[in-house]
Amino acid sequence: MTEIEINRASQLIDPQLHIWGIEVPIYLFLGGLTAGLMILTPLLLGRTPPAQRTKWMRWLPLVAPLILSFGMLALLIDLSYKLHALRFYAAFRPASPMSWGAWILIAIYPATLLLGLATLDDNDWRWVSGRNWIKKIGVLTLAEAARRFALNHTGRIRIVNIVLGIGLGGYTGLLLSTLGVRHVWSSAVLGPLFLVSGISTGAALMMLWPLGEKSHPWLRKVDIAAIVTELALLALYLVGLSSGNTAANAAAQLFLGGPYTATFWSLVVFAGLLIPLFIELFEARKRIRPTVWAPVLLLLGGFCLRLILVSAGQV
Amino acid sequence: MSRPRYVMTVDTKTCVGCNACVLACKSENGLPEQGYRDWIVTETTGAFPNLFQEIRSERCNHCDRSPCVSACPTGASYRQEDGIVLVDPAKCTGCKACIAACPYGARYVHPRGFVDKCTFCVHRLTAGKQPACVDICPTDSLTFGDLNDPRSAVSRLLKSRRHKTLLPEEGLLPHVFFLI
């Protein structure tokens, strides 16, 4: 028997570490979603000749920076010293994944905006440049120059978006996995897992976006591959923890009989992955019109995965 | 002369868990209501009637391999050449990565927003004094000094007494040693 009594009464630490609430899982989810969009949007555009792109598809690249902004807002809300938020950009700390993340986030805005500018056609651009607010804030000349640049370097901008998307998606997992003393997070699988989950949720959002029926089969194919990979990575993650030392084993037990078992298996594995996988396979096989269920469940499952892992890591 | 390497020893044979170190720290450093830079841990092991109790005064371990410093994205957490790990509140964003990285639960969020922790009373050291917890300890359980000085009290204690660190399996090379 070992009984440990601590006289400290810090609310964030005792009796259980509680440092990151719902804001960080929201940020990790929206960051992963952005990463998925940054990877899949250029690929989809590459497969679709400009003449066949619908209006919604032309505006799709601008969704990623919008979603990321909500994610960064969640991150800002989580900071306990908000006035110092810009301190992230007064230093670059190579050993800190959070520092890498802060700089990647900044690089994402110009990359996604340039992709957006390169994708809008002349009619769209006339509509944008005709807005009063864009004239008022005095960025029209800059935006026109940026659009000329983007149109001349579309291929490179797409590649940059994909590379940054992979970096962002992987970073959301690495942020946790490098905190080695928290055994739930101390797994090299978390980086690839969050990246693949980001691709899956990105595909899910794109399936909800009215892109036209021609895009849907390709997105579904990508999504099925992502879901299967994610299931394999989740299995690898649990096997890795289970075969580790005593502390890692205890971490695995949180999902294999412990307090997170019900939520993890029901919300993440069944509702968030297996059921949407079944729905997508069924829709593909029977060639029936896709419903919103699979994408909605995938998005909810992706959020639950991050919420549960962030919470379990603090036990 | 080599640089100092500051360490602290805690004698678990003489510590009675009186909390004088905790109160001295709070008073010396003007800590807020929920803020503790040191605390008392009472660990009881065994089965009745063969019970063993160890009382420890714990604090930041000022690790050689400080995961808090590596995790900090702004450089607010840093390690001095003498081995003392500090937080610069002017650079701290309150992202709490260092709290997540520390296995000892040594850090907390100060009500003003920045992260706070034990400094080994660095302000007292520069004035030639001992940390407040060491000064106040009524049983002389706490000893602070330079491990690079073979004549220092901590060097002699660590040579002559059996000792341990907390969570040695993490490989962080703590600077707080517990005499057992």
Side-chain angles (χ1 to χ4, degrees), chain B:
Chain B
M1 196 176 150
S2 63
R3 287 192 198 103
R5 184 174 171 232
Y6 289 125
V7 304
M8 184 178 281
T9 62
V10 181
D11 194 337
T12 61
K13 298 289 183 199
T14 55
C15 178
V16 293
C18 68
N19 280 294
C21 51
V22 178
L23 295 173
C25 175
K26 276 188 88 81
S27 166
E28 173 71 24
N29 296 295
L31 301 185
E33 191 181 348
Q34 288 275 324
Y36 291 91
R37 291 182 180 181
D38 58 355
W39 57 94
I40 299 293
V41 173
T42 308
E43 185 173 342
T44 309
T45 49
F48 184 82
N50 301 311
L51 293 168
F52 172 76
Q53 192 171 65
E54 180 178 279
I55 302 173
R56 300 189 295 263
S57 168
E58 292 188 8
R59 58 198 37 69
C60 166
N61 283 271
H62 298 270
C63 307
D64 263 346
R65 292 184 188 151
S66 328
C68 51
V69 173
S70 305
C72 178
T74 65
S77 283
Y78 64 101
R79 194 167 168 275
Q80 293 193 147
E81 288 186 339
D82 55 16
I84 299 178
V85 176
L86 296 172
V87 179
D88 181 353
K91 290 185 181 175
C92 182
T93 61
C95 71
K96 303 179 277 287
C98 57
I99 300 181
C102 175
Y104 301 109
R107 293 170 167 246
Y108 69 96
V109 178
H110 192 281
R112 281 165 58 199
F114 56 85
V115 170
D116 191 41
K117 63 175 275 296
C118 164
T119 63
F120 273 160
C121 282
V122 71
H123 62 288
R124 288 173 61 95
L125 300 184
T126 50
K129 297 178 187 170
Q130 291 277 297
C133 55
V134 176
D135 244 4
I136 200 92
C137 182
T139 58
D140 274 342
S141 299
L142 303 177
T143 310
F144 179 84
D146 176 11
L147 195 60
N148 281 345
D149 176 3
R151 292 164 304 170
S152 69
V154 286
S155 293
R156 280 185 276 121
L157 279 169
L158 291 176
K159 268 181 203 150
S160 61
R161 295 278 302 275
R162 282 203 309 138
H163 55 271
K164 67 174 183 182
T165 55
L166 298 177
L167 302 178
E169 67 275 13
E170 299 292 350
L172 304 176
L173 307 178
H175 276 203
V176 176
F177 297 88
F178 295 87
L179 306 174
I180 51 178

Side-chain angles (χ1 to χ4, degrees), chain A residues 31-52:
Chain A
L33 194 53
T34 306
L37 289 174
M38 289 180 73
I39 295 166
L40 296 179
T41 304
L43 294 175
L44 179 67
L45 291 171
R47 295 171 48 86
T48 318
Q52 291 179 21

Side-chain angles (χ1 to χ4, degrees), chain A residues 271-293:
Chain A
L273 291 169
L274 288 175
I275 293 174
L277 177 65
F278 172 77
I279 294 173
E280 287 187 357
L281 287 171
F282 186 76
E283 287 171 354
R285 189 156 189 178
K286 299 285 179 190
R287 296 175 191 278
I288 56 174
R289 199 178 177 82
T291 63
V292 297
W293 289 107

